[in-house]
């Protein structure tokens, strides 16, 4: 009888130990998932939220796509400037700035230097991105190629059946830098959607 009682007590202890180990494993797993999520949020932040949310709404863009462009273009550095002279959060060239200004800010005293201001940079970049998406039927990859390489380049590629099946969107991005840029934008956008959608 005593042996049976001792055996039952051992089994209860074994079950208790297993339950305790399972609880510890769950706590560690939850902590690890939380740490992973925090790391992802740090790698894919949402900065300049007021500006991004405002201009995304104004130009009917997904704010997460706008965040992906800002992260890819400047890593959220408002003072960023490329070797080609593109500047600000969305890395706009002076020619593109002047063209967008003629469309949305003709009478305003805004100048190219103002692209170092977050609101101006996001406003002009969001407008240009919106125009690219409209022109290329909402296709993010083709719009990203146009944002990076210009409409003329994309329009020429669309005429080649090797790169476009329908003449409206690109299925391939033949230039190394363009291809790299489009992949970065689309992957970054997917990350933002996974984290924040």
């Amino acid at each position: 009888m005593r042996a049976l009682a001792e055996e039952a007590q051992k089994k209860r202890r074994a079950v208790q130990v297993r339950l305790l180990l399972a609880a510890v494993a769950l706590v560690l797993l939850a902590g690890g998932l939380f740490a992973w999520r925090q790391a992802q949020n740090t790698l894919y932040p949402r900065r300049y939220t007021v500006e991004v949310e405002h201009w995304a709404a104004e130009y009917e863009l997904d704010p997460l796509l706008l965040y992906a462009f800002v992260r890819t273009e400047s890593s959220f550095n408002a003072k960023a400037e490329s070797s080609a002279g593109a500047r600000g959060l969305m890395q706009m060239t002076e020619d593109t700035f002047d063209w967008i200004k003629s469309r949305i800010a003709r009478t305003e005293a805004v100048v190219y230097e103002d692209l170092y201001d977050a609101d101006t940079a996001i406003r002009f970049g969001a407008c240009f991105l919106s125009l690219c998406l409209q022109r290329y039927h909402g296709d993010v990859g083709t719009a990203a190629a146009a944002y990076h390489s210009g409409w003329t380049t994309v329009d020429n590629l669309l005429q080649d059946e090797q790169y476009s099946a329908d003449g409206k969107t690109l299925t391939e991005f033949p230039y190394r830098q363009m291809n790299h840029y489009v992949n970065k934008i689309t992957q970054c956008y997917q990350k933002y959607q996974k984290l924040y959608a």
Side-chain angles (χ1 to χ4, degrees), residues 20-68:
L20 179 62
L21 289 174
V24 168
L26 282 174
V27 168
L28 291 174
L29 179 62
L33 288 173
F34 178 77
W36 179 85
R37 179 79 171 197
Q38 289 301 105
Q40 291 296 305
N41 290 350
T42 300
L43 290 172
Y44 296 90
R46 290 183 298 178
R47 297 186 187 142
Y48 304 102
T49 54
V50 171
E51 295 87 349
V52 168
E53 299 291 330
H54 173 79
W55 294 113
E58 180 74 20
Y59 290 107
E60 300 178 353
L61 297 170
D62 179 354
L64 299 177
L65 180 60
L66 203 47
Y67 284 120

Side-chain angles (χ1 to χ4, degrees):
M1 211 42 139
R2 187 175 174 170
L4 286 174
E6 286 177 2
E7 186 63 32
Q9 190 175 8
K10 283 183 185 178
K11 286 183 180 179
R12 279 193 300 275
R13 282 189 196 139
V15 168
Q16 289 172 340
V17 167
R18 277 191 236 122
L19 287 173
L20 179 62
L21 289 174
V24 168
L26 282 174
V27 168
L28 291 174
L29 179 62
L33 288 173
F34 178 77
W36 179 85
R37 179 79 171 197
Q38 289 301 105
Q40 291 296 305
N41 290 350
T42 300
L43 290 172
Y44 296 90
R46 290 183 298 178
R47 297 186 187 142
Y48 304 102
T49 54
V50 171
E51 295 87 349
V52 168
E53 299 291 330
H54 173 79
W55 294 113
E58 180 74 20
Y59 290 107
E60 300 178 353
L61 297 170
D62 179 354
L64 299 177
L65 180 60
L66 203 47
Y67 284 120
F69 270 83
V70 174
R71 182 187 182 275
T72 301
E73 288 288 351
S74 67
S75 297
F76 294 93
N77 176 4
K79 302 300 181 193
E81 186 165 339
S82 75
S83 58
R87 53 178 64 162
L89 288 169
M90 295 194 67
Q91 292 293 281
M92 186 168 284
T93 63
E94 191 165 8
D95 288 342
T96 304
F97 170 83
D98 290 338
W99 182 69
I100 297 296
K101 181 181 176 187
S102 73
R103 295 180 69 99
I104 65 169
R106 187 175 297 128
T107 61
E108 295 177 33
V110 65
V111 295
Y112 187 55
E113 286 291 316
D114 292 330
L115 286 179
Y116 291 125
D117 170 70
D119 190 63
T120 303
I122 293 170
R123 175 189 178 197
F124 276 65
C127 177
F128 185 49
L129 176 56
S130 174
L131 292 170
C132 290
L133 285 164
Q134 288 171 27
R135 185 175 182 94
Y136 300 109
H137 311 280
D139 185 72
V140 171
T142 306
Y147 192 98
H148 178 266
S149 301
W151 288 4
T152 302
T153 301
V154 169
D155 288 349
N156 288 337
L157 290 172
L158 288 172
Q159 294 174 23
D160 190 332
E161 291 177 5
Q162 183 178 353
Y163 308 120
S164 176
D166 59 7
K168 296 178 182 179
T169 57
L170 293 174
T171 53
E172 289 189 42
F173 306 93
Y175 308 122
R176 188 178 55 81
Q177 284 186 333
M178 176 193 284
N179 189 56
H180 179 69
Y181 181 81
V182 170
N183 284 333
K184 280 178 70 173
I185 288 290
T186 54
Q187 288 172 10
C188 188
Y189 184 36
Q190 288 169 0
K191 278 284 195 184
Y192 272 99
Q193 288 175 313
K194 187 174 182 181
L195 288 169
Y196 301 108

